[in-house]
Amino acid sequence: MNSIEHFINGKITKGFSKKTSKIFNPATGEQTAEVNLASKNDVDLAVEKAKHAFTDWSRKPPAQRARVIFKFKELIEKNSDEITKLIVSEHGKVYEDAKGSLTRGLEVVEFACGIPHLLKGEFSENVGTDVDSWSIRQPLGVCAGITPFNFPAMVPMWMFPMAIACGNTFILKPSEKDPSCSIKLAQLFKEAGLPDGVFNVVNGDKETVDALLTNKDVVAISFVGSTPIAKYIYEKAAKNEKRVQALGGAKNHCVIMPDCDLDQAVNGLMGAAYGSAGERCMAQSVAVAVGKIGNQLVNKLAKKVESLKVGPGLDKNSEMGPLVTKQHLEKVEGYVDLGVQEGAKLVVDGRNIKLQGYEKGFYIGGCLFDNVDKKMRIYKEEIFGPVLSVVRVRDFETAVNLVNEHEFGNGTSIYTRDGDVGRTFATKIKIGMVGINIPIPVPVAYHSFGGWKRSLFGDQHMHGPEGVRFYTKLKTITSKWPKGIASDPEFVMPILN
Ligand code: NAD
């Protein structure tokens, strides 16, 4: 059985702990590996190495750090097929989708190559007579990232290239469901010339995470995952005096206005609801049909959902792969059962799908509910599978209120031809990322990614300018060169003039 270990201080490191977790190929349902789960001792070792490496790495000129990042970017491009296949083999998503997610991660690496420009501070000459003042941004120290299963390359890449380019060292704790990609990225970073100890990967579960949250030498925590765990991480990290950004779950609404180009909206929704089998934090899981558009929308969607091509991720014909684990499949199927019990109309039922030759794979077909009500649990809770709920509302204002009243605030979209409606929507909506005739409004690397409400705990979004702010602290220096006679002592608050 293939055993996945940790990557500490520049090499694959066998853990002290004997605890393991199973890794499956979701397409076949077979176990392919087991991953070692780090104990507190493993975490402490990684932190010690990262702390040691920080001294030199943080003092390296930013341009020299950027050269290593640039080489890393080239190596990711060269190895993109292998990394993509690792994503497919442990997550299950289809090859082109996996490749797209790697590219979105790569864009953050590209952005990080230009970080020297963003580390520049501000300078004011003569704030008092012969007194100058300037600010600089300095790295924090040892930072840690804890990431979810659904983007095994992209989400870690929102974090560690940014932190490391800013001069920090980093410990990544990827999802225990698909950890291989992180180990591969660590090996490539070393090949690019990254000094040992700057980037470390510890695999593990809650015990590993808790060891990171309580280690006094870890100064900042970046987290992406479900809302209950995000809240736990936020509270525990803050209690242990760490800087923290914790991104949580989502229930993204796509508002369909009666004046929209319906074919465009339906195609957009299909990709946004069923792409990656709905296992995306920016998946559109609620379609809000405004006014008379409901019947037409549901009819068009139903035809497309019924003909979705479900299959293994490496099959070029597959549009949607399996779910990540058997447990997750059962959870999603349970939500479909629940929706029926709650009285929603199941227009397309993807349960009980069987694929010849892949009978043990974790597959579910696309599911479509109509007449979903805001009191139902299938509306309120995140399902994280290929299940789209249609909610019908009277008018635009009701649609806006519906979106704003939901506890999550990650992403949303509106389809309309009316510029004023689009603009009003963008202004009034209480959501972090908004699309106007764009189904999945994921910001590019040089903007920042993050939701509102219970989709983000903490105050800084990830990557882009907010990422630089998160991974650096500000220092402001005021200076004067001595000349001539010493000035008398002053006992009042100094006023520089
Ligand atoms: P999860 O919360 O179960 O796990 C995320 C990470 O936390 C993993 O590394 C896991 O090992 C760790 N973890 C799990 N339970 C823990 C516990 N009790 N204590 C400490 N650590 C724990 O999430 P998941 O199932 O891997 O990923 C899916 C979730 O992530 C969805 O809710 C999705 O919306 C969310 N997500 C959000 C974003 C975003 O940007 N907001 C992006 C991707 C995924």
Side-chain angles (χ1 to χ4, degrees), residues 147-150 173 176 206 223-226 248-249 281 382 384 449:
T147 52
F149 78 81
N150 67 320
K173 204 303 280 173
E176 63 276 36
K206 178 173 165 48
F223 172 86
V224 176
S226 59
C281 64
E382 181 181 40
F384 221 55
F449 184 107

Side-chain angles (χ1 to χ4, degrees), residues 269-270 273-278 301-311 319-323 329 332-333 336 345-355 362-369 383 385-389:
L269 255 175
M270 286 301 298
Y274 301 101
S276 204
L301 277 171
K303 283 200 192 87
K304 293 203 183 244
V305 180
E306 273 160 5
S307 59
L308 259 176
K309 295 192 193 86
V310 182
E319 292 170 323
M320 196 173 94
L323 292 177
L329 173 65
V332 172
E333 285 172 340
V336 181
K345 182 177 171 196
L346 185 57
V347 181
V348 183
D349 184 358
R351 293 170 296 180
N352 304 320
I353 181 177
K354 282 274 171 277
L355 297 181
F362 312 137
Y363 298 94
I364 180 169
C367 299
L368 178 66
F369 276 114
I383 299 174
V387 182
L388 177 63
S389 295

Side-chain angles (χ1 to χ4, degrees), residues 256-428:
I256 311 293
M257 294 299 292
D259 71 328
C260 76
D261 179 327
L262 191 57
D263 289 326
Q264 219 181 75
V266 166
N267 286 341
L269 255 175
M270 286 301 298
Y274 301 101
S276 204
E279 292 169 320
R280 287 185 186 141
C281 64
M282 288 293 274
Q284 299 284 1
S285 47
V286 181
V288 185
V290 178
K292 289 189 300 222
I293 200 100
N295 288 347
Q296 263 180 295
L297 174 70
V298 171
N299 290 341
K300 279 185 186 266
L301 277 171
K303 283 200 192 87
K304 293 203 183 244
V305 180
E306 273 160 5
S307 59
L308 259 176
K309 295 192 193 86
V310 182
L314 288 178
D315 182 337
K316 283 198 170 61
N317 294 319
S318 304
E319 292 170 323
M320 196 173 94
L323 292 177
V324 68
T325 55
K326 187 160 184 284
Q327 289 76 3
H328 192 56
L329 173 65
E330 286 166 2
K331 180 179 155 191
V332 172
E333 285 172 340
Y335 269 113
V336 181
D337 298 345
L338 176 68
V340 174
Q341 285 160 29
E342 289 185 308
K345 182 177 171 196
L346 185 57
V347 181
V348 183
D349 184 358
R351 293 170 296 180
N352 304 320
I353 181 177
K354 282 274 171 277
L355 297 181
Q356 216 179 358
Y358 296 93
E359 288 80 2
K360 292 201 176 123
F362 312 137
Y363 298 94
I364 180 169
C367 299
L368 178 66
F369 276 114
D370 192 8
N371 296 330
V372 173
D373 184 90
K374 67 178 182 183
K375 290 191 208 74
M376 295 177 183
R377 275 183 55 204
I378 59 159
Y379 170 76
K380 290 195 276 197
E381 296 171 19
E382 181 181 40
I383 299 174
F384 221 55
V387 182
L388 177 63
S389 295
V390 178
V391 180
R392 298 179 180 227
V393 299
R394 207 172 48 244
D395 52 22
F396 174 67
E397 209 184 328
T398 318
V400 169
N401 290 340
L402 184 78
V403 180
N404 284 347
E405 281 161 18
H406 204 285
E407 67 167 310
F408 296 123
N410 216 37
T412 188
S413 289
I414 186 165
Y415 274 88
T416 178
R417 283 194 170 97
D418 186 326
D420 185 42
V421 167
R423 190 172 184 282
T424 306
F425 183 76
T427 307
K428 284 192 167 176

